[in-house]
Amino acid sequence: MAANDGAEEATVSLVDVLEEDEELENEASAVLGGSDSEKCSYPEGHVKRQALYACNTCTPKGGEPAGICLACSYKCHEGHDLFELYTKRNFRCDCGNDKFGEMECKLFADKEKVNSGNKYSHNFFGLYCTCDRPYPDPEDEVADEMIQCIVCEDWLHGRHLGCVVPDCVELQEMICESCMNKTPFLWTYAAHIAATPITKVSPCKGEGDVKVEVENDEEKIKTENLKNPVDEKVQVNGTSACKRKHQEEAEGSSEEGSCSGCRLREMKASGRSRAPQGAVFWPSAWRTKLCTCTDCKILYADTGVSFLTDEMDTVLAYENKGKSTEQAEQASGAEGRDPLMSALNNLNRVQQLEIIHEYNDMKTELKDYLQRFAAEGKVVTPEDIRQFFEQQQSRKRRRANAEQYYCS
């Protein structure tokens, strides 16, 4: 806040701008921070989770799908048409194996012909969702978010999930309807610990939003039930699914207390069920409520979802690892408060405004510079960023020389 003739005027300082940008940068670097940008990940075997890319230049649609690690996307496929796959679990880098013909990996050439343990999908050809479309889709005029299923790891449009996407911070993970039906025992867990389904919208582009009520087999969703503080339900068409949080925690604690037998068997015996339709959204820490008895572990292995009992498998855990790595590197490089922030606080109002204008100009130019890479489907390398700032320095020197000549 700045005082002006006795009145207070809301202002945004450069410190605020930089701190906001720093937060966004931390979120973006979390995805890459958990992966090594210098060394090929192949020697590590099937990495639990890493950032992956697919090269449309080397392995186009019609051939065999292949995935490459972060480092190989920089060193071996610079300038190629790449698809960003976000992160995938239990994957070993394919760069330079038989799927790439005569091309060899520049970082680790001694690789097996194929990685038989890898799993592939249409994502490796730049296609997503049940609609099998690219993202972003130039033909799709509907603004819609993409959400990743934690089982198949495909990305689906919110309107193609068969339910309304809940608006709640506690709901962090989603399993699509197809994966739920391949692991039907999860429907039992969904009836007890997942968010209550609300509605679904028509998945067909161009049609109106046709809403259909989806009700629990045992208990129907009724607005009047919201008045009952003991048994809160989700209000159809509006109220957040967070209403059930307190009830779920109570149920979870009672279920965890009876760990002498099989938790899944106890849930089935309760008779509580849920209609097997639509994607399922799960609350925070829901994986800890899965039974880990011997029979259930065998069940998870047989259905290929043993990773569900591993808390370190989550994307959130991977991102936190990336943030921790980033913070550790920053801490090792500097002690105490960022000197830039300290210097800014010591500047007067006029000086801060001048720097804000300079910063905004640089930010706009950097955005335009990066958009060229996005338009051409190229990966931005550290060398590209260095080149940008070298150009900025060169322009700054030319301006300084011109001002000196003018003043003389």
Side-chain angles (χ1 to χ4, degrees):
M1 306 292 286
N4 184 12
D5 296 332
E8 289 188 336
E9 178 185 0
T11 62
V12 178
S13 70
L14 180 57
V15 174
D16 296 328
V17 174
L18 288 177
E19 287 179 346
E20 181 181 353
D21 275 13
E22 184 179 7
E23 182 179 351
L24 294 174
E25 288 173 5
N26 288 338
E27 292 177 0
S29 65
V31 177
L32 304 180
S35 300
D36 195 323
S37 61
E38 299 294 331
K39 299 177 182 177
C40 176
S41 65
Y42 182 86
E44 301 176 35
H46 287 79
V47 181
K48 180 174 289 189
R49 183 169 294 282
Q50 64 176 316
L52 283 182
Y53 299 81
C55 184
N56 191 40
T57 303
C58 298
T59 55
K61 188 175 181 181
E64 291 188 80
I68 59 176
C69 68
L70 176 64
C72 287
S73 73
Y74 291 155
K75 309 296 183 182
C76 307
H77 300 267
E78 182 180 1
H80 291 191
D81 181 15
L82 299 180
F83 298 125
E84 288 190 52
L85 304 180
Y86 193 50
T87 70
K88 300 285 186 183
R89 71 168 61 88
N90 298 331
F91 198 93
R92 196 173 196 182
C93 180
D94 285 322
C95 180
N97 67 13
D98 277 12
K99 295 184 176 183
F100 290 81
E102 299 298 322
M103 194 203 102
E104 286 190 359
C105 178
K106 298 177 182 178
L107 299 178
F108 195 89
D110 186 18
K111 295 181 178 178
E112 296 181 7
K113 294 182 178 180
V114 293
N115 293 314
S116 57
N118 287 352
K119 293 184 178 179
Y120 305 92
S121 68
H122 62 170
N123 291 174
F124 290 80
F125 296 118
L127 302 174
Y128 307 90
C129 192
T130 54
C131 60
D132 204 38
R133 296 292 302 171
Y135 182 83
D137 187 349
E139 298 180 9
D140 188 1
E141 299 178 356
V142 180
D144 198 359
E145 61 183 325
M146 300 286 283
I147 303 174
Q148 188 179 37
C149 170
I150 65 167
V151 176
C152 65
E153 298 191 296
D154 192 6
W155 291 83
L156 296 93
H157 294 98
R159 66 184 185 276
H160 293 168
L161 293 176
C163 67
V164 164
V165 178
D167 173 26
C168 183
V169 293
E170 280 79 13
L171 305 176
Q172 297 184 7
E173 296 190 310
M174 181 274 289
I175 300 181
C176 69
E177 181 177 345
S178 175
C179 289
M180 288 293 298
N181 289 332
K182 292 176 183 176
T183 51
F185 66 89
L186 286 177
W187 287 115
T188 301
Y189 281 107
H192 289 77
I193 62 178
T196 303
I198 306 172
T199 59
K200 66 180 180 180
V201 297
S202 172
C204 299
K205 184 171 67 175
E207 294 184 5
D209 287 346
V210 181
K211 294 191 175 182
V212 181
E213 291 188 9
V214 179
E215 298 178 339
N216 194 304
D217 286 350
E218 180 186 356
E219 53 186 1
K220 294 185 177 180
I221 304 170
K222 295 181 179 179
T223 305
E224 57 265 25
N225 285 337
L226 293 172
K227 299 177 182 179
N228 186 347
V230 179
D231 189 19
E232 291 179 316
K233 303 295 188 300
V234 178
Q235 182 181 359
V236 176
N237 298 336
T239 303
S240 170
C242 295
K243 290 286 186 179
R244 300 187 64 214
K245 185 173 184 291
H246 184 72
Q247 178 187 356
E248 290 166 355
E249 290 176 346
E251 292 174 353
S253 60
S254 64
E255 290 160 4
E256 290 170 359
S258 57
C259 56
S260 58
C262 174
R263 192 176 303 170
L264 177 60
R265 191 178 298 117
E266 292 173 1
M267 288 183 177
K268 288 181 178 179
S270 72
R272 185 173 181 178
S273 62
R274 167 173 171 156
Q277 57 188 40
V280 176
F281 286 83
W282 304 83
S284 176
W286 73 277
R287 297 190 188 209
T288 61
K289 295 180 173 63
L290 296 175
C291 181
T292 55
C293 72
T294 302
D295 289 344
C296 281
K297 286 183 178 179
I298 295 175
L299 176 62
Y300 303 151
D302 289 343
T303 52
V305 293
S306 296
F307 56 82
L308 288 179
T309 59
D310 181 6
E311 277 295 304
M312 296 307 295
D313 167 78
T314 65
V315 173
L316 180 61
Y318 171 85
E319 291 180 345
N320 287 337
K321 176 185 174 184
K323 291 177 182 177
S324 298
T325 302
E326 188 82 12
Q327 291 170 357
E329 291 177 352
Q330 292 175 353
S332 63
E335 296 180 0
R337 181 174 171 80
D338 188 338
L340 175 60
M341 294 296 186
S342 299
L344 288 171
N345 285 329
N346 293 327
L347 296 177
N348 61 40
R349 175 70 178 157
V350 174
Q351 290 171 322
Q352 281 201 0
L353 284 174
E354 290 176 350
I355 295 178
I356 286 176
H357 289 306
E358 289 287 339
Y359 175 78
N360 285 333
D361 289 343
M362 184 272 290
K363 186 177 178 181
T364 301
E365 291 176 5
L366 178 59
K367 181 179 179 181
D368 294 339
Y369 180 74
L370 295 177
Q371 280 180 340
R372 297 204 302 268
F373 288 86
E376 297 173 4
K378 294 182 179 179
V379 174
V380 182
T381 66
E383 180 60 34
D384 295 323
I385 299 299
R386 281 194 292 271
Q387 183 180 354
F388 170 80
F389 284 106
E390 286 174 1
Q391 293 173 353
Q392 291 290 308
Q393 284 288 90
S394 177
R395 280 197 288 268
K396 183 177 179 181
R397 284 193 292 270
R398 287 198 297 269
R399 286 198 300 268
N401 292 336
E403 290 172 1
Q404 184 179 9
Y405 176 79
Y406 177 78
C407 292
S408 62

mmCIF file of all heavy atoms in Angstrom, residues 112-144:
data_model
loop_
_atom_site.group_PDB
_atom_site.id
_atom_site.type_symbol
_atom_site.label_atom_id
_atom_site.label_comp_id
_atom_site.label_asym_id
_atom_site.label_seq_id
_atom_site.Cartn_x
_atom_site.Cartn_y
_atom_site.Cartn_z
ATOM 1 N N GLU A 112 19.665 -52.243 -24.711
ATOM 2 C CA GLU A 112 19.018 -53.422 -25.293
ATOM 3 C C GLU A 112 18.154 -52.990 -26.475
ATOM 4 O O GLU A 112 17.786 -51.829 -26.608
ATOM 5 C CB GLU A 112 18.166 -54.130 -24.239
ATOM 6 C CG GLU A 112 18.973 -54.701 -23.080
ATOM 7 C CD GLU A 112 18.090 -55.413 -22.072
ATOM 8 O OE1 GLU A 112 16.867 -55.565 -22.353
ATOM 9 O OE2 GLU A 112 18.595 -55.816 -21.010
ATOM 10 N N LYS A 113 17.818 -53.955 -27.314
ATOM 11 C CA LYS A 113 17.064 -53.646 -28.534
ATOM 12 C C LYS A 113 15.694 -53.053 -28.217
ATOM 13 O O LYS A 113 15.247 -52.130 -28.901
ATOM 14 C CB LYS A 113 16.915 -54.910 -29.377
ATOM 15 C CG LYS A 113 18.249 -55.434 -29.934
ATOM 16 C CD LYS A 113 18.026 -56.663 -30.803
ATOM 17 C CE LYS A 113 19.352 -57.149 -31.395
ATOM 18 N NZ LYS A 113 19.163 -58.355 -32.253
ATOM 19 N N VAL A 114 15.033 -53.598 -27.219
ATOM 20 C CA VAL A 114 13.719 -53.083 -26.806
ATOM 21 C C VAL A 114 13.609 -53.157 -25.293
ATOM 22 O O VAL A 114 14.322 -53.932 -24.645
ATOM 23 C CB VAL A 114 12.543 -53.881 -27.439
ATOM 24 C CG1 VAL A 114 12.489 -53.674 -28.934
ATOM 25 C CG2 VAL A 114 12.624 -55.354 -27.091
ATOM 26 N N ASN A 115 12.727 -52.369 -24.740
ATOM 27 C CA ASN A 115 12.432 -52.409 -23.304
ATOM 28 C C ASN A 115 11.075 -53.091 -23.121
ATOM 29 O O ASN A 115 10.026 -52.443 -23.194
ATOM 30 C CB ASN A 115 12.423 -51.000 -22.720
ATOM 31 C CG ASN A 115 13.780 -50.347 -22.739
ATOM 32 O OD1 ASN A 115 14.772 -50.961 -22.357
ATOM 33 N ND2 ASN A 115 13.852 -49.098 -23.192
ATOM 34 N N SER A 116 11.117 -54.386 -22.905
ATOM 35 C CA SER A 116 9.873 -55.159 -22.871
ATOM 36 C C SER A 116 8.978 -54.790 -21.695
ATOM 37 O O SER A 116 7.772 -55.037 -21.729
ATOM 38 C CB SER A 116 10.196 -56.662 -22.812
ATOM 39 O OG SER A 116 11.024 -56.951 -21.689
ATOM 40 N N GLY A 117 9.542 -54.197 -20.650
ATOM 41 C CA GLY A 117 8.726 -53.847 -19.488
ATOM 42 C C GLY A 117 7.978 -52.533 -19.619
ATOM 43 O O GLY A 117 7.130 -52.218 -18.780
ATOM 44 N N ASN A 118 8.265 -51.770 -20.679
ATOM 45 C CA ASN A 118 7.572 -50.484 -20.870
ATOM 46 C C ASN A 118 6.132 -50.683 -21.321
ATOM 47 O O ASN A 118 5.816 -51.641 -22.034
ATOM 48 C CB ASN A 118 8.297 -49.632 -21.914
ATOM 49 C CG ASN A 118 9.590 -49.057 -21.386
ATOM 50 O OD1 ASN A 118 9.897 -49.154 -20.202
ATOM 51 N ND2 ASN A 118 10.366 -48.448 -22.271
ATOM 52 N N LYS A 119 5.269 -49.761 -20.925
ATOM 53 C CA LYS A 119 3.881 -49.761 -21.390
ATOM 54 C C LYS A 119 3.646 -48.506 -22.219
ATOM 55 O O LYS A 119 4.099 -47.422 -21.857
ATOM 56 C CB LYS A 119 2.920 -49.812 -20.201
ATOM 57 C CG LYS A 119 2.967 -51.119 -19.435
ATOM 58 C CD LYS A 119 1.923 -51.142 -18.318
ATOM 59 C CE LYS A 119 1.942 -52.466 -17.582
ATOM 60 N NZ LYS A 119 0.939 -52.507 -16.478
ATOM 61 N N TYR A 120 2.925 -48.674 -23.321
ATOM 62 C CA TYR A 120 2.714 -47.565 -24.253
ATOM 63 C C TYR A 120 1.214 -47.352 -24.476
ATOM 64 O O TYR A 120 0.389 -48.233 -24.225
ATOM 65 C CB TYR A 120 3.401 -47.842 -25.586
ATOM 66 C CG TYR A 120 4.875 -48.139 -25.466
ATOM 67 C CD1 TYR A 120 5.339 -49.443 -25.332
ATOM 68 C CD2 TYR A 120 5.812 -47.108 -25.474
ATOM 69 C CE1 TYR A 120 6.697 -49.724 -25.207
ATOM 70 C CE2 TYR A 120 7.168 -47.372 -25.355
ATOM 71 C CZ TYR A 120 7.606 -48.685 -25.218
ATOM 72 O OH TYR A 120 8.941 -48.953 -25.086
ATOM 73 N N SER A 121 0.881 -46.182 -24.972
ATOM 74 C CA SER A 121 -0.509 -45.845 -25.303
ATOM 75 C C SER A 121 -0.504 -44.873 -26.470
ATOM 76 O O SER A 121 0.553 -44.518 -26.993
ATOM 77 C CB SER A 121 -1.201 -45.207 -24.087
ATOM 78 O OG SER A 121 -0.647 -43.923 -23.815
ATOM 79 N N HIS A 122 -1.693 -44.425 -26.854
ATOM 80 C CA HIS A 122 -1.769 -43.456 -27.956
ATOM 81 C C HIS A 122 -1.151 -42.113 -27.585
ATOM 82 O O HIS A 122 -0.920 -41.274 -28.445
ATOM 83 C CB HIS A 122 -3.216 -43.300 -28.435
ATOM 84 C CG HIS A 122 -4.167 -42.770 -27.394
ATOM 85 N ND1 HIS A 122 -5.449 -42.370 -27.690
ATOM 86 C CD2 HIS A 122 -4.028 -42.568 -26.053
ATOM 87 C CE1 HIS A 122 -6.049 -41.946 -26.603
ATOM 88 N NE2 HIS A 122 -5.210 -42.063 -25.584
ATOM 89 N N ASN A 123 -0.877 -41.902 -26.294
ATOM 90 C CA ASN A 123 -0.194 -40.667 -25.872
ATOM 91 C C ASN A 123 1.141 -40.506 -26.577
ATOM 92 O O ASN A 123 1.578 -39.380 -26.864
ATOM 93 C CB ASN A 123 0.069 -40.677 -24.364
ATOM 94 C CG ASN A 123 -1.189 -40.574 -23.520
ATOM 95 O OD1 ASN A 123 -1.133 -40.686 -22.306
ATOM 96 N ND2 ASN A 123 -2.349 -40.378 -24.154
ATOM 97 N N PHE A 124 1.816 -41.620 -26.877
ATOM 98 C CA PHE A 124 3.140 -41.577 -27.490
ATOM 99 C C PHE A 124 3.093 -41.134 -28.954
ATOM 100 O O PHE A 124 4.131 -40.938 -29.582
ATOM 101 C CB PHE A 124 3.821 -42.942 -27.358
ATOM 102 C CG PHE A 124 4.222 -43.275 -25.940
ATOM 103 C CD1 PHE A 124 3.300 -43.757 -25.030
ATOM 104 C CD2 PHE A 124 5.526 -43.069 -25.517
ATOM 105 C CE1 PHE A 124 3.665 -44.047 -23.720
ATOM 106 C CE2 PHE A 124 5.908 -43.351 -24.209
ATOM 107 C CZ PHE A 124 4.972 -43.836 -23.310
ATOM 108 N N PHE A 125 1.877 -40.991 -29.486
ATOM 109 C CA PHE A 125 1.697 -40.431 -30.829
ATOM 110 C C PHE A 125 0.960 -39.093 -30.756
ATOM 111 O O PHE A 125 0.396 -38.617 -31.746
ATOM 112 C CB PHE A 125 0.944 -41.412 -31.721
ATOM 113 C CG PHE A 125 1.692 -42.691 -31.979
ATOM 114 C CD1 PHE A 125 1.184 -43.909 -31.569
ATOM 115 C CD2 PHE A 125 2.927 -42.673 -32.623
ATOM 116 C CE1 PHE A 125 1.877 -45.083 -31.801
ATOM 117 C CE2 PHE A 125 3.633 -43.844 -32.860
ATOM 118 C CZ PHE A 125 3.109 -45.057 -32.449
ATOM 119 N N GLY A 126 0.933 -38.507 -29.556
ATOM 120 C CA GLY A 126 0.326 -37.183 -29.394
ATOM 121 C C GLY A 126 -1.185 -37.184 -29.343
ATOM 122 O O GLY A 126 -1.805 -36.151 -29.601
ATOM 123 N N LEU A 127 -1.790 -38.321 -28.998
ATOM 124 C CA LEU A 127 -3.249 -38.425 -28.924
ATOM 125 C C LEU A 127 -3.672 -38.739 -27.493
ATOM 126 O O LEU A 127 -2.970 -39.453 -26.763
ATOM 127 C CB LEU A 127 -3.762 -39.507 -29.877
ATOM 128 C CG LEU A 127 -3.402 -39.316 -31.355
ATOM 129 C CD1 LEU A 127 -3.825 -40.518 -32.170
ATOM 130 C CD2 LEU A 127 -4.041 -38.039 -31.904
ATOM 131 N N TYR A 128 -4.844 -38.224 -27.109
ATOM 132 C CA TYR A 128 -5.270 -38.354 -25.718
ATOM 133 C C TYR A 128 -6.771 -38.597 -25.633
ATOM 134 O O TYR A 128 -7.505 -38.409 -26.602
ATOM 135 C CB TYR A 128 -4.918 -37.077 -24.938
ATOM 136 C CG TYR A 128 -3.467 -36.677 -25.065
ATOM 137 C CD1 TYR A 128 -3.058 -35.825 -26.102
ATOM 138 C CD2 TYR A 128 -2.508 -37.157 -24.189
ATOM 139 C CE1 TYR A 128 -1.721 -35.468 -26.238
ATOM 140 C CE2 TYR A 128 -1.171 -36.801 -24.331
ATOM 141 C CZ TYR A 128 -0.784 -35.967 -25.347
ATOM 142 O OH TYR A 128 0.534 -35.618 -25.500
ATOM 143 N N CYS A 129 -7.203 -39.023 -24.451
ATOM 144 C CA CYS A 129 -8.618 -39.140 -24.105
ATOM 145 C C CYS A 129 -9.309 -40.259 -24.895
ATOM 146 O O CYS A 129 -8.738 -40.857 -25.808
ATOM 147 C CB CYS A 129 -9.325 -37.799 -24.326
ATOM 148 S SG CYS A 129 -10.998 -37.703 -23.632
ATOM 149 N N THR A 130 -10.557 -40.518 -24.544
ATOM 150 C CA THR A 130 -11.354 -41.514 -25.260
ATOM 151 C C THR A 130 -11.715 -41.027 -26.654
ATOM 152 O O THR A 130 -12.080 -41.829 -27.517
ATOM 153 C CB THR A 130 -12.647 -41.810 -24.477
ATOM 154 O OG1 THR A 130 -13.335 -40.568 -24.228
ATOM 155 C CG2 THR A 130 -12.333 -42.461 -23.131
ATOM 156 N N CYS A 131 -11.582 -39.712 -26.877
ATOM 157 C CA CYS A 131 -11.893 -39.155 -28.198
ATOM 158 C C CYS A 131 -10.703 -39.255 -29.150
ATOM 159 O O CYS A 131 -10.822 -38.936 -30.336
ATOM 160 C CB CYS A 131 -12.345 -37.699 -28.073
ATOM 161 S SG CYS A 131 -11.117 -36.599 -27.328
ATOM 162 N N ASP A 132 -9.542 -39.696 -28.619
ATOM 163 C CA ASP A 132 -8.358 -39.946 -29.455
ATOM 164 C C ASP A 132 -7.971 -38.709 -30.270
ATOM 165 O O ASP A 132 -7.738 -38.791 -31.474
ATOM 166 C CB ASP A 132 -8.630 -41.128 -30.385
ATOM 167 C CG ASP A 132 -7.343 -41.811 -30.848
ATOM 168 O OD1 ASP A 132 -6.411 -41.920 -30.031
ATOM 169 O OD2 ASP A 132 -7.272 -42.238 -32.019
ATOM 170 N N ARG A 133 -7.885 -37.577 -29.573
ATOM 171 C CA ARG A 133 -7.564 -36.320 -30.230
ATOM 172 C C ARG A 133 -6.264 -35.741 -29.671
ATOM 173 O O ARG A 133 -5.851 -36.060 -28.559
ATOM 174 C CB ARG A 133 -8.689 -35.299 -30.027
ATOM 175 C CG ARG A 133 -10.018 -35.690 -30.665
ATOM 176 C CD ARG A 133 -9.922 -35.670 -32.177
ATOM 177 N NE ARG A 133 -9.521 -34.364 -32.671
ATOM 178 C CZ ARG A 133 -9.192 -34.112 -33.941
ATOM 179 N NH1 ARG A 133 -9.183 -35.092 -34.822
ATOM 180 N NH2 ARG A 133 -8.856 -32.889 -34.317
ATOM 181 N N PRO A 134 -5.585 -34.864 -30.433
ATOM 182 C CA PRO A 134 -4.377 -34.223 -29.927
ATOM 183 C C PRO A 134 -4.714 -33.152 -28.900
ATOM 184 O O PRO A 134 -5.867 -32.734 -28.765
ATOM 185 C CB PRO A 134 -3.767 -33.595 -31.188
ATOM 186 C CG PRO A 134 -4.945 -33.313 -32.065
ATOM 187 C CD PRO A 134 -5.897 -34.452 -31.829
ATOM 188 N N TYR A 135 -3.694 -32.707 -28.163
ATOM 189 C CA TYR A 135 -3.872 -31.601 -27.233
ATOM 190 C C TYR A 135 -2.656 -30.684 -27.327
ATOM 191 O O TYR A 135 -1.523 -31.147 -27.208
ATOM 192 C CB TYR A 135 -4.031 -32.100 -25.802
ATOM 193 C CG TYR A 135 -4.273 -30.970 -24.826
ATOM 194 C CD1 TYR A 135 -5.563 -30.464 -24.649
ATOM 195 C CD2 TYR A 135 -3.215 -30.399 -24.123
ATOM 196 C CE1 TYR A 135 -5.775 -29.404 -23.787
ATOM 197 C CE2 TYR A 135 -3.427 -29.334 -23.262
ATOM 198 C CZ TYR A 135 -4.709 -28.843 -23.093
ATOM 199 O OH TYR A 135 -4.929 -27.797 -22.239
ATOM 200 N N PRO A 136 -2.889 -29.389 -27.568
ATOM 201 C CA PRO A 136 -4.199 -28.769 -27.824
ATOM 202 C C PRO A 136 -4.765 -29.193 -29.174
ATOM 203 O O PRO A 136 -4.010 -29.507 -30.093
ATOM 204 C CB PRO A 136 -3.888 -27.278 -27.789
ATOM 205 C CG PRO A 136 -2.432 -27.182 -28.125
ATOM 206 C CD PRO A 136 -1.781 -28.394 -27.567
ATOM 207 N N ASP A 137 -6.089 -29.220 -29.247
ATOM 208 C CA ASP A 137 -6.782 -29.658 -30.452
ATOM 209 C C ASP A 137 -7.261 -28.428 -31.234
ATOM 210 O O ASP A 137 -8.148 -27.704 -30.783
ATOM 211 C CB ASP A 137 -7.984 -30.518 -30.064
ATOM 212 C CG ASP A 137 -8.659 -31.158 -31.273
ATOM 213 O OD1 ASP A 137 -8.324 -30.775 -32.411
ATOM 214 O OD2 ASP A 137 -9.507 -32.047 -31.074
ATOM 215 N N PRO A 138 -6.683 -28.158 -32.408
ATOM 216 C CA PRO A 138 -7.068 -26.965 -33.168
ATOM 217 C C PRO A 138 -8.522 -26.979 -33.634
ATOM 218 O O PRO A 138 -9.075 -25.934 -33.949
ATOM 219 C CB PRO A 138 -6.101 -26.975 -34.369
ATOM 220 C CG PRO A 138 -5.680 -28.406 -34.503
ATOM 221 C CD PRO A 138 -5.658 -28.958 -33.118
ATOM 222 N N GLU A 139 -9.137 -28.170 -33.673
ATOM 223 C CA GLU A 139 -10.521 -28.275 -34.139
ATOM 224 C C GLU A 139 -11.535 -28.236 -33.005
ATOM 225 O O GLU A 139 -12.737 -28.246 -33.244
ATOM 226 C CB GLU A 139 -10.693 -29.564 -34.948
ATOM 227 C CG GLU A 139 -9.828 -29.632 -36.202
ATOM 228 C CD GLU A 139 -10.022 -30.922 -36.964
ATOM 229 O OE1 GLU A 139 -10.958 -31.688 -36.602
ATOM 230 O OE2 GLU A 139 -9.270 -31.187 -37.916
ATOM 231 N N ASP A 140 -11.057 -28.235 -31.776
ATOM 232 C CA ASP A 140 -11.955 -28.254 -30.621
ATOM 233 C C ASP A 140 -12.132 -26.841 -30.095
ATOM 234 O O ASP A 140 -11.175 -26.215 -29.629
ATOM 235 C CB ASP A 140 -11.383 -29.161 -29.528
ATOM 236 C CG ASP A 140 -12.368 -29.384 -28.388
ATOM 237 O OD1 ASP A 140 -13.494 -28.845 -28.451
ATOM 238 O OD2 ASP A 140 -12.010 -30.098 -27.432
ATOM 239 N N GLU A 141 -13.343 -26.335 -30.160
ATOM 240 C CA GLU A 141 -13.623 -24.974 -29.712
ATOM 241 C C GLU A 141 -14.126 -24.922 -28.277
ATOM 242 O O GLU A 141 -14.421 -23.847 -27.754
ATOM 243 C CB GLU A 141 -14.663 -24.328 -30.644
ATOM 244 C CG GLU A 141 -14.196 -24.211 -32.095
ATOM 245 C CD GLU A 141 -15.251 -23.622 -32.998
ATOM 246 O OE1 GLU A 141 -16.374 -23.379 -32.506
ATOM 247 O OE2 GLU A 141 -14.968 -23.401 -34.195
ATOM 248 N N VAL A 142 -14.238 -26.083 -27.631
ATOM 249 C CA VAL A 142 -14.741 -26.143 -26.262
ATOM 250 C C VAL A 142 -13.581 -26.018 -25.284
ATOM 251 O O VAL A 142 -12.625 -26.799 -25.340
ATOM 252 C CB VAL A 142 -15.487 -27.469 -26.000
ATOM 253 C CG1 VAL A 142 -15.996 -27.519 -24.562
ATOM 254 C CG2 VAL A 142 -16.637 -27.636 -26.976
ATOM 255 N N ALA A 143 -13.637 -25.023 -24.401
ATOM 256 C CA ALA A 143 -12.605 -24.861 -23.375
ATOM 257 C C ALA A 143 -12.804 -25.919 -22.303
ATOM 258 O O ALA A 143 -13.846 -25.965 -21.653
ATOM 259 C CB ALA A 143 -12.691 -23.459 -22.767
ATOM 260 N N ASP A 144 -11.842 -26.800 -22.153
ATOM 261 C CA ASP A 144 -11.991 -27.914 -21.221
ATOM 262 C C ASP A 144 -10.629 -28.299 -20.662
ATOM 263 O O ASP A 144 -9.617 -28.227 -21.362
ATOM 264 C CB ASP A 144 -12.619 -29.114 -21.932
ATOM 265 C CG ASP A 144 -13.202 -30.133 -20.973
ATOM 266 O OD1 ASP A 144 -13.100 -29.920 -19.749
ATOM 267 O OD2 ASP A 144 -13.756 -31.149 -21.444
#
